Amino acid sequence: MQKIIYVPPWDVLGGDDNVTLHFGKPVVLGAVSGTSGTDTTVQSSGIPGMDGVYLNDVRIEPAQIKASVNVHGSSREEMYKNRFELIRCLTPKSTPGTLYYHNDYITAKIGAVPESSPKFTKRIKNYNGAEITFFCPSPYWESTEERRVKIAWIGNAFEFPIAIEPDMKFGVIQSKEAVNITSALNTSITITITAPATDPIKISNNTTGQIIELEHALTGAEKLIINTKRGGKSVTLVHNDGTREDAFHYITPDSELFELVPGKNEIEYVNWDENEPTRVEIGFCEMYMGV
């Protein structure tokens, strides 16, 4: 069974203003299109006398998701009330909300804005048909669950019961020189580094040669959170008291907030002091052309 949930930019999943379209009332989903992929534009060039062309690039166009629905009510008044609520929650905004799509195999999400208010069509008794179109600036769907890969962490070292204070860690320091992460598409990542960590802090993608280097030591319970998402890049320092600081000014000029590239990515954390129990974790969502 197919189901669509639209979460406006001012709401959260499960909030009061979510719009759910499925085979159930009050908004019954009739058909949905545009989820299986989007158009592409092949950019090529050729020269006289040459067979074929040079392939320069392939551009993936924005996605457009269309849904046909029927708004229902147990009475004419309730139908119009449900229709009003649908219009209110699907008011076009410049800030994208999140569109969740579910079928019998997969659940995925994509950033989306309603192209216009629902276009209402024929009404039969207490059912009012409507067409809804969502514009998705990025054509890529994301998994709803984030994958997490550890480069350095504290492993278990005790089996017997032991009483410790909250937030204390007993274990052994474990690390890898590098981890390999395979991605089908260009994929943004979130890097979380938990203190202690000696200045400088360096993460590199050995596949592309790109690095992220910060000239700042982490102490106590500090965390450094690096987000490489396009349009939302950030470097945040979480202090011991929980306050957050924009840490972009700690980045070196040669740094790039890189994404995973298609294929295998070798990601490495350079530990300047191998005795430090630094914890480093990379989080990312799987990316799909269509679902």
Side-chain angles (χ1 to χ4, degrees):
M1 182 182 74
Q2 295 185 101
K3 178 168 71 172
I4 291 176
I5 300 175
Y6 176 68
V7 180
W10 63 83
D11 203 6
V12 296
L13 186 61
D16 294 337
D17 288 338
N18 290 189
V19 175
T20 300
L21 315 176
H22 65 136
F23 193 66
K25 299 170 183 178
V27 185
V28 183
L29 178 63
V32 60
S33 63
T35 60
S36 59
T38 186
D39 294 336
T40 60
T41 300
V42 178
Q43 300 172 349
S44 62
S45 60
I47 57 176
M50 171 186 169
D51 293 331
V53 295
Y54 291 109
L55 177 62
N56 298 325
D57 200 1
V58 178
R59 170 186 165 85
I60 311 297
E61 301 297 338
Q64 192 179 60
I65 313 300
K66 295 184 177 181
S68 299
V69 302
N70 275 285
V71 180
H72 176 262
S74 58
S75 64
R76 188 75 54 83
E77 179 185 5
E78 186 180 50
M79 182 205 70
Y80 278 116
K81 173 181 176 294
N82 292 335
R83 168 180 154 148
F84 174 81
E85 285 299 312
L86 184 65
I87 295 171
R88 183 181 67 82
C89 295
L90 293 182
T91 300
K93 296 287 184 182
S94 58
T95 302
T98 305
L99 190 70
Y100 292 83
Y101 171 77
H102 170 81
N103 61 27
D104 294 323
Y105 175 70
I106 196 171
T107 299
K109 64 181 180 179
I110 192 170
V113 294
E115 277 198 348
S116 64
S117 295
K119 298 185 181 301
F120 286 91
T121 56
K122 191 174 182 179
R123 178 178 63 80
I124 301 176
K125 295 184 178 180
N126 294 336
Y127 285 89
N128 198 171
E131 300 293 329
I132 302 171
T133 302
F134 295 98
F135 175 77
C136 308
S138 170
Y140 301 129
W141 293 84
E142 297 181 16
S143 62
T144 54
E145 293 186 3
E146 188 180 56
R147 279 187 57 191
R148 303 200 70 83
V149 177
K150 296 178 180 178
I151 301 180
W153 66 98
I154 297 177
N156 295 329
F158 296 95
E159 299 262 336
F160 53 88
I162 183 170
I164 59 175
E165 295 295 324
D167 300 325
M168 289 181 63
K169 296 286 184 181
F170 282 90
V172 293
I173 304 167
Q174 296 178 287
S175 64
K176 299 178 181 178
E177 293 184 358
V179 294
N180 289 317
I181 302 175
T182 301
S183 178
L185 299 165
N186 288 87
T187 304
S188 60
I189 58 176
T190 300
I191 304 168
T192 304
I193 304 171
T194 304
T198 301
D199 173 12
I201 295 168
K202 184 178 178 181
I203 302 283
S204 63
N205 187 335
N206 295 336
T207 300
T208 63
Q210 296 169 298
I211 66 166
I212 302 173
E213 186 172 20
L214 293 98
E215 296 176 328
H216 181 77
L218 299 179
T219 59
E222 287 184 324
K223 284 185 180 180
L224 191 69
I225 303 173
I226 304 167
N227 187 343
T228 71
K229 188 176 182 67
R230 296 183 192 183
K233 296 181 187 295
S234 64
V235 181
T236 304
L237 178 62
V238 182
H239 293 284
N240 294 319
D241 60 0
T243 59
R244 291 174 173 254
E245 173 191 351
D246 183 349
F248 252 113
H249 56 285
Y250 293 128
I251 293 181
T252 62
D254 295 334
S255 295
E256 297 179 72
L257 298 192
F258 58 77
E259 298 178 321
L260 302 178
V261 295
K264 185 172 72 174
N265 296 259
E266 185 182 81
I267 310 298
E268 181 179 16
Y269 166 69
V270 178
N271 189 350
W272 303 99
D273 185 348
E274 63 181 16
N275 295 315
E276 285 182 333
T278 309
R279 283 171 283 163
V280 183
E281 198 169 39
I282 296 173
F284 62 97
C285 292
E286 301 277 4
M287 305 287 285
Y288 316 117
M289 276 291 300
V291 290

